[in-house]
Each structure stands twice: as structure tokens, then as C-alpha cells.
Amino acid sequence: MTVKTMDALLVKKCFLAGAAAIQAKKEYINELNVFPVPDGDTGTNMSMTISSAANEVAALEHPGMEDICKAISGGSLRGARGNSGVILSQLLRGFTKVVRNVEIIDVRTLVQAFEKAVDSAYKAVMKPKEGTILTVAKGGAEKAAKIAKDCDDIVVFAQRVIDEMRVVLNRTPEMLPVLKEAGVVDSGGEGLVTMLEGMCDALQGKEMDYRSDVPTGDGAVSGKSGASSEGISTEDIKFGYCTEFIIQLEQGFSSNQESELKQYLEKIGDSIVCVADEDIVKIHVHTNDPGLAIQKGLTYGELSRMKIDNMREEHNERVIQSAQQQGGQQAALKGQEEFPSQDGPRKEVGFISVSAGDGLTHIFKELGADIVIEGGQTMNPSTEDILEAVSKVNADTVFVLPNNSNIILAANQAKELTDDKDLVVIQTKNIPQGIAAMLQYIEGNSVGENEKSMCEAAGQIKSGQVTYAVRDTSVNGKDIKQGDIMGLSDKTIEVVGNNIKDTAVALAQKLMSDDTELITLYYGEEATEEEAMEIADAIREQKDAVEVEVEYGGQPIYYYFLSLE
């Protein structure tokens, strides 16, 4: 099949196929992550990012090229989650900057678009690292430029470019030793190639069933498998139906109506998303009675894109975990339901913090945070989540504390998209850094002075986390089995054990230095104050001069956060 040009409708078809390919293979992409922590995985973040754009593209009935490009760029930018999602959105943004200027795409246009995509993505990352999705994208752009003169068939052109990107992807373990040790290729690069392969299939008119087309070793270096696929009990699923739909509003939708609808959905389920955008409202809820959600939605207008999945029918653990994880990530908006009042005079400074756990939320509120976005390692909030929070803070300058290295890029992207307020992103990589930064803020100092002192305070904190391994792997010479307890620093896995208390104490010992004076232990929802106090006593026995404080964090997944000063 020969294709010399692409119009807007063909672009739409190919883009939706690329999004479907990532969605179908996201669990495979997740398994390529090096560290076996239960985090906001690459495949999930990339899938949710491109799905945000795909929803807008799918809604266009008779689009022109500029319409398609606006939907792809705007949807992916707002929906970007995690570093991989932000980089993907920047690739799409750069690509569409070139394509939007034409009505018909040929090979020459694609070469320019690839180059612009790579340029945009590299500029978005402060310290680009080779052996990642960026390297794979660059390899594709360079191949495109080389073959363009001798190839005017877009199908042949695309296949050769994708083949080269797959070659570069398989070389990523040689660029990053940590990939080689874990026996995997870069997960973000795999996601990018997967998307382009889906687009190329659609370009050729193939009808692919991506659900059954999961790679069995194509992207893995040593063929290592991920977590076990044994089933879990359906009794563990509190709400059985994942319900999604869009309300086409018949009239306006006030903030009071939005609050009322959210409160109603909370009564019948969880994992709630309720986002109003001009004349539509997007709804997502896990519930045991989808009919109640649908009936309530009908009181506001007509419904479209209705989707109900029975999660209890899913017996494959990976599929169930994926559904729960996506619901948990989309619940990042839940933390924004109670916004501060916009009445009254505008403040000079406001604060937004990302956190998970009622104890940590209370701490940030006590330190002056106007809004705490519920999110973090297991549910990276999107750029749109952060923008929504920013819009509700009635202040000239808003400090944003991501408190997670995988959220910093999304926060920076929100800064670029905000024009009515000054956003200052304090690049906190974890909760202890965020708390230290908030404590350092001094009212009366200038924004610049506070930014400098907050960054310095965050940088002086050593931090650690105690969690569990979700799959077998090998990292830094440590053989890790699924279910092992791990003690992590900001850089690597420091300790592996089979006991939470012993692992936490060993981690503290690893992180302590001669000048350590204070250790704060934040215990999570699966830990107890009694155990936390025992850990604190054990740490004091190791070093009498160190003061150890215990605080309730309530964070999920992570048994303990450690802050060392």
C-alpha cells in the first residue's frame, strides 16, 4: 500500500490508533520500569496523557488540520502526567507546530515535524539524559532526515523510521547501566515506539486487536518477566463498575452545581473525576450502581461517550491493578474539591502542595498551603490538575511544591501555561523536602529571596522511603523478589529486607552522617504509631545525639517517609 500524502481525517485516524496502542500495552510498558516500586508507572502516565488528547480529537467530526493539531497539542499538554507524559506532550506539541501550517502532509513535512518535536522535548528537560525516550525520538528524527530524499511513500518512510527507533531503543541498556542490570529497555522509549507502530498500522489500513498483541520479549533484553499474573479476589474491589460519560450541558454549570454533583458522586462511589470545560462535563466514578450516576448526569444535559466496565469480571491481576491505578491517579482531582474562597482581597502569595495522606495534608495546611492536591508517587497529577488548583488560589504569586521528581515537569508545564499569575515552582522531589521548604518561607521577604531560601532548605534534606517490591528484579547488585521490603534514598534502593521495622532502621543508619541532628519519621496508613515509636527508639540506640520525632503521615503505599536534617 502506497500513501504519498495525509489529510486531516487520516491524521485523526492514525493518532487515535496510536493512543489505543499505548492504552492496550501500558502494563507491558509499566513492567519495563527499573525500580520495582508501586509508583505512577510510565505506561499508565503515557496512556493517560495521550488519552486526554485522544478524547478531544475523537470529538472532532469534520476537522481541518489546525483543529486536529490544537486538540492533540492542547489535550496532551493539559493531560500530561509524570515525566514520560510531559515529554510525550512536548513531542506532540513540537510536531503539531509544523503540521498545523499545512492541509496536506508529505514526507518533507514529516521530517520537519520530527525535528521540531525532538527540539521541543529536549528543551523541556533541564538535564536531558541519553538512553531515554529522548534518545529514541532523536534517533527517529535523524533517520527521517537521512532517508527523506529517496523516499516519498509515507508508509515506507514511517516503517524505516520506526525500525531505526526500535534499534536505538534496544541500545538504551548500553547507555544506561541500570537498564542493563534490570534486563529491560527504556520504558518511555518503548511507549513512544508503541504509539508510532499503532499509527503506522492505521496508515496502512490495518485493523489491529491491540489487546492480544502484547510483546513477549521484543523490548526486553533478557526476557525477564514482571509481576506475577495470579488472580486476586473480587472481594477486594469495593465498587465494581468503572463508569464514565460526558454531559453535554443544556444550560450553564455553576460552581455550586459542580460541588453538588461531586458530593452526590462521593455518596455512591469513589475514584471521582468531575471536570467542567465550557459546555461539557467529564465524569468518572467507580460505583456499585452506574444507573444512579447516569440518572444524575441526565439532570444536567444529554450524555455521550458512555462507558461502563464490570471490574469484578476481570480475573487477570494486571488488568485489575491497572484499572485501580488509573482510578487512583484520576482521583488526584479529588484533593481539589474544597478550594479556598475567591472572595476578599487578592493576596500577594499563595501556596499549592502535592501530597497524599490525611496526616501530610494536615501538615501542609498548617504550614500555609492554600490547596493540597492529592497525588504523588502512585497518582501523578496532570498539568491540568495543577492549572485547576492555580486558578483557585486568589494570589499574585503562587508557589508550587510538586514533592515528587515525577511531577516537577508537569508543574513547570503549568507555569508556562499560566499568564494571569506568577508561578514559582520549588523543585521539591519528595515530601520531606516540601515540608522543609514551607518551613523556610518568611513573610515579608521578597519572592526571589523566599524562592532561594526554600530551594536551599529543600536541598539540605536527606530523605528515605520504605515500601515493598511489586516484582522481581536486580538493581545495584541487589536481587529483589516481589514482596520484599525496600528502603530507598532519593537516588537508589539502599536496603532490601523482609521486615518493615528492621528495614526502616537499616535505612536510617545508611542515610545518617556525623552531622545528622534530627530525623523525622512519617508513618503511613499501613503502619502504626506503636511500630513507628519502636523504630524511633532503635534509631536512637544507634546514635544518642540524634533526636527522632514521629509524625502521622497517613500516606498510602509507603510505610514510612524519613527526613534527616
Side-chain angles (χ1 to χ4, degrees):
M1 179 179 182
T2 300
V3 177
K4 297 293 184 71
T5 61
M6 299 174 66
D7 60 12
L9 289 178
L10 184 53
V11 171
K12 175 182 177 180
K13 178 181 178 181
C14 290
F15 182 77
L16 294 178
I22 291 184
Q23 169 66 20
K25 298 180 182 177
K26 66 183 179 184
E27 285 305 316
Y28 171 74
I29 299 169
N30 283 342
E31 290 177 7
L32 297 177
N33 284 322
V34 172
F35 294 107
V37 296
D39 61 3
D41 284 332
T42 301
T44 301
N45 283 337
M46 294 184 77
S47 174
M48 296 183 76
T49 297
I50 198 170
S51 292
S52 175
N55 289 338
E56 296 193 21
V57 170
L60 300 173
E61 293 185 4
H62 304 289
M65 195 68 76
E66 186 172 1
D67 299 325
I68 290 284
C69 289
K70 284 182 179 179
I72 292 174
S73 179
S76 62
L77 284 173
R78 292 190 297 272
R81 296 174 187 266
N83 292 342
S84 56
V86 172
I87 293 173
L88 177 61
S89 73
Q90 288 294 332
L91 287 168
L92 294 171
R93 184 185 193 185
F95 187 92
T96 56
K97 279 185 177 179
V98 173
V99 173
R100 73 193 311 157
N101 297 320
V102 301
E103 288 300 323
I104 297 295
I105 297 173
D106 57 15
V107 166
R108 183 178 301 179
T109 306
L110 289 174
V111 171
Q112 296 172 354
F114 280 141
E115 290 176 346
K116 187 66 175 178
V118 172
D119 181 60
S120 296
Y122 267 87
K123 286 180 178 178
V125 180
M126 186 173 297
K127 295 180 180 179
K129 183 182 292 186
E130 298 304 328
T132 65
I133 181 176
L134 294 171
T135 309
V136 177
K138 182 172 65 175
E142 291 174 348
K143 182 68 172 180
K146 288 180 182 178
I147 67 175
K149 293 181 180 179
D150 303 321
C151 181
D152 62 355
D153 183 345
I154 295 178
V155 173
V156 175
F157 171 83
Q159 288 176 330
R160 292 178 65 182
V161 169
I162 292 171
D163 287 345
E164 175 64 19
M165 292 174 72
R166 180 64 73 180
V167 170
V168 174
L169 176 65
N170 287 333
R171 287 204 302 262
T172 55
E174 303 304 321
M175 304 177 203
L176 289 176
V178 68
L179 294 176
K180 188 172 185 177
E181 183 181 15
V184 295
V185 297
D186 178 68
S187 54
E190 178 67 43
L192 178 61
V193 174
T194 295
M195 179 189 74
L196 293 175
E197 288 173 340
M199 292 179 175
C200 191
D201 288 339
L203 185 65
Q204 299 174 76
K206 295 181 181 179
E207 296 294 334
M208 302 297 294
D209 180 5
Y210 294 106
R211 292 171 298 178
S212 61
D213 188 30
V214 178
T216 57
D218 195 20
V221 174
S222 62
K224 289 187 178 182
S225 63
S228 170
S229 298
E230 294 177 8
I232 67 174
S233 172
T234 57
E235 295 177 359
D236 295 333
I237 303 175
K238 183 177 181 181
F239 297 104
Y241 297 94
C242 177
T243 306
E244 301 177 42
F245 54 86
I246 287 179
I247 305 172
Q248 305 286 342
L249 295 172
E250 295 178 350
Q251 297 179 350
F253 192 64
S254 67
S255 58
N256 288 337
Q257 288 175 308
E258 182 175 354
S259 177
E260 176 199 14
L261 180 53
K262 287 177 178 177
Q263 290 174 10
Y264 178 82
L265 294 174
E266 278 195 318
K267 292 179 181 178
I268 65 170
D270 65 7
S271 296
I272 295 160
V273 173
C274 175
V275 180
D277 183 12
E278 295 184 356
D279 57 349
I280 67 171
V281 179
K282 302 175 185 178
I283 298 295
H284 171 282
V285 60
H286 290 177
T287 178
N288 284 327
D289 194 337
L292 293 176
I294 290 170
Q295 289 173 19
K296 186 66 175 179
L298 285 169
T299 64
Y300 297 96
E302 294 185 359
L303 306 187
S304 64
R305 290 192 233 166
M306 299 171 65
K307 180 174 176 285
I308 300 174
D309 291 326
N310 185 341
M311 294 187 291
R312 292 192 176 97
E313 288 184 348
E314 303 291 347
H315 296 295
N316 184 293
E317 184 181 40
R318 292 177 187 169
V319 177
I320 294 177
Q321 288 178 337
S322 172
Q324 291 173 328
Q325 185 176 41
Q326 181 167 341
Q329 287 199 347
Q330 290 177 337
L333 288 177
K334 183 179 178 182
Q336 299 181 28
E337 288 173 6
E338 295 182 2
F339 287 114
S341 173
Q342 296 299 293
D343 298 332
R346 190 176 176 95
K347 301 189 299 181
E348 291 185 4
V349 176
F351 297 90
I352 295 172
S353 176
V354 180
S355 182
D358 53 349
L360 293 173
T361 295
H362 177 74
I363 290 172
F364 278 109
K365 288 283 189 178
E366 287 289 306
L367 292 174
D370 296 276
I371 294 176
V372 178
I373 303 175
E374 186 175 336
Q377 195 70 353
T378 59
M379 42 186 168
N380 301 149
S382 68
T383 298
E384 187 171 23
D385 297 339
I386 299 171
L387 287 171
E388 177 71 9
V390 170
S391 71
K392 301 300 182 182
V393 178
N394 191 17
D396 296 325
T397 299
V398 180
F399 285 89
V400 180
L401 291 87
N403 300 334
N404 187 290
S405 58
N406 209 33
I407 302 174
I408 291 174
L409 284 183
N412 288 336
Q413 193 151 273
K415 178 179 179 178
E416 292 181 9
L417 297 174
T418 301
D419 54 14
D420 62 334
K421 299 170 185 174
D422 292 327
L423 257 65
V424 179
V425 179
I426 306 298
Q427 300 196 18
T428 48
K429 297 180 180 180
N430 51 58
I431 293 294
Q433 286 187 358
I435 292 173
M438 288 290 290
L439 285 168
Q440 193 60 36
Y441 177 81
I442 300 175
E443 190 171 355
N445 284 0
S446 69
V447 170
E449 289 171 335
N450 274 312
E451 179 181 7
K452 181 180 179 181
S453 62
M454 292 169 77
C455 289
E456 288 176 350
Q460 292 171 1
I461 295 293
K462 283 186 179 180
S463 63
Q465 306 90 38
V466 179
T467 186
Y468 58 91
V470 296
R471 58 179 172 272
D472 297 352
T473 189
S474 177
V475 178
N476 291 339
K478 296 180 177 65
D479 290 327
I480 301 169
K481 301 297 182 182
Q482 181 183 353
D484 282 351
I485 306 300
M486 302 181 297
L488 297 82
S489 66
D490 289 335
K491 297 180 180 179
T492 189
I493 299 172
E494 301 283 357
V495 182
V496 178
N498 52 25
N499 178 280
I500 296 173
K501 176 183 173 181
D502 292 345
T503 302
V505 174
L507 176 63
Q509 187 174 22
K510 277 266 190 180
L511 296 178
M512 276 193 292
S513 60
D514 292 339
D515 57 355
T516 301
E517 298 178 350
L518 172 65
I519 297 178
T520 306
L521 198 64
Y522 300 94
Y523 63 95
E525 65 179 4
E526 296 185 38
T528 65
E529 183 178 11
E530 181 182 4
E531 181 186 61
M533 295 302 293
E534 291 175 358
I535 293 171
D537 290 339
I539 294 173
R540 292 188 191 101
E541 290 177 2
Q542 293 182 355
K543 191 173 181 181
D544 293 336
V546 173
E547 182 181 354
V548 184
E549 295 182 353
V550 173
E551 297 281 353
Y552 170 63
Q555 68 272 9
I557 305 300
Y558 288 79
Y559 303 114
Y560 294 99
F561 288 147
L562 283 71
S563 175
L564 292 86
E565 303 176 49

